Amino acid sequence: DAKTTQPPSMDCAEGRAANLPCNHSTISGNEYVYWYRQIHSQGPQYIIHGLKNNETNEMASLIITEDRKSSTLILPHATLRDTAVYYCIVRVPPPGGATNKLIFGTGTLLAVQP
Amino acid sequence: NAGVTQTPKFRVLKTGQSMTLLCAQDMNHEYMYWYRQDPGMGLRLIHYSVGEGTTAKGEVPDGYNVSRLKKQNFLLGLESAAPSQTSVYFCASKQPNQPQHFGDGTRLSIL
């Protein structure tokens, strides 16, 4: 199973872009990169996912390197409410075609400072 | 639209007691999951289900049982609670090839 590595914590000034890195050097060709976040005392919230190309939605942008061994989640204008733990996850291929389980690591605690 | 609802939100048990956690989703999702989250750790998958009447083991299934008798509900049972099962439990659901949607968790303490 592909494993991800993220820094344990990062700070970002309010209004600035937050760039959260993730390494997934053992990713295989058919595995997607997913990003979730968890605000204190709440359930995880889906942010974005991608396979090869860069992706953007109303919450964030996802930049995946050409060799797919790393990616960066970008929050373009961080607010205090973006303070959370951010999880980078590689979707595990299902054994026997069952389902795609998500394996969560310990994530990055992003602290947005006023 | 309620999404994923977990019941109860908090519970305290004594060692050896049994209980059932309920997860209900109103999005007609096929797949459902139970995770646990311990301090300083990410979520770990306990059991999951790919459809009504089916269940499968995740990373940490020991000490738990599950049932999916109805598509919208996924029950997690502790037959004989142990202090090591003190945790926050999250339920999630999804459609194939779509992201998982999570509930807000059940905080369980076992004394």
Side-chain angles (χ1 to χ4, degrees):
Chain A
D1 298 343
K3 186 178 176 181
T4 62
T5 304
Q6 298 177 253
S9 64
M10 292 181 63
D11 288 343
C12 177
E14 188 177 20
R16 303 295 294 269
N19 297 291
L20 292 91
C22 180
N23 287 323
H24 32 78
S25 58
T26 60
I27 193 171
S28 62
N30 61 344
E31 290 180 311
Y32 284 73
V33 179
Y34 280 77
W35 283 85
Y36 280 76
R37 73 179 182 184
Q38 189 173 20
I39 296 169
H40 182 62
S41 299
Q42 297 181 19
Q45 177 189 23
Y46 165 78
I47 302 173
I48 199 167
H49 73 282
L51 181 63
K52 293 181 183 178
N53 300 320
N54 298 338
E55 302 288 344
T56 296
N57 63 19
E58 64 278 5
M59 289 183 69
S61 295
L62 174 60
I63 309 298
I64 302 175
T65 57
E66 193 168 340
D67 63 7
R68 302 209 327 121
K69 293 185 177 182
S70 65
S71 60
T72 301
L73 178 75
I74 300 172
L75 308 179
H77 305 287
T79 70
L80 297 178
R81 286 179 291 183
D82 291 321
T83 292
V85 177
Y86 287 77
Y87 295 99
C88 168
I89 301 160
V90 173
R91 190 176 71 178
V92 177
T99 185
N100 294 319
K101 296 175 285 184
L102 295 177
I103 296 181
F104 287 76
T106 53
T108 296
L109 173 59
L110 175 68
V112 180
Q113 309 290 345
Chain B
N1 189 349
V4 178
T5 303
Q6 294 185 230
T7 310
K9 295 191 186 312
F10 304 92
R11 185 72 184 268
V12 178
L13 289 178
K14 294 181 179 179
T15 297
Q17 287 185 316
S18 63
M19 81 160 293
T20 300
L21 281 63
L22 171 64
C23 177
Q25 53 95 4
D26 62 2
M27 298 172 283
N28 202 36
H29 284 171
E30 291 294 328
Y31 302 159
M32 297 187 74
Y33 307 81
W34 274 107
Y35 294 88
R36 62 177 287 175
Q37 185 174 35
D38 300 302
M41 298 181 69
L43 279 73
R44 292 183 292 170
L45 181 65
I46 304 172
H47 286 280
Y48 64 98
S49 168
V50 300
E52 184 178 316
T54 72
T55 63
K57 294 181 179 179
E59 295 177 78
V60 289
D62 294 342
Y64 305 95
N65 57 75
V66 288
S67 64
R68 184 101 182 266
L69 298 180
K70 293 183 179 180
K71 185 177 183 179
Q72 64 268 34
N73 296 335
F74 195 29
L75 278 62
L76 178 71
L78 286 71
E79 289 188 352
S80 179
S84 62
Q85 293 177 306
T86 293
S87 190
V88 182
Y89 291 85
F90 289 100
C91 175
S93 71
K94 71 186 286 285
Q95 284 292 67
N97 300 315
Q98 295 296 316
Q100 291 187 22
H101 295 258
F102 284 82
D104 282 335
T106 293
R107 283 148 185 80
L108 182 62
S109 292
I110 299 162
L111 307 177

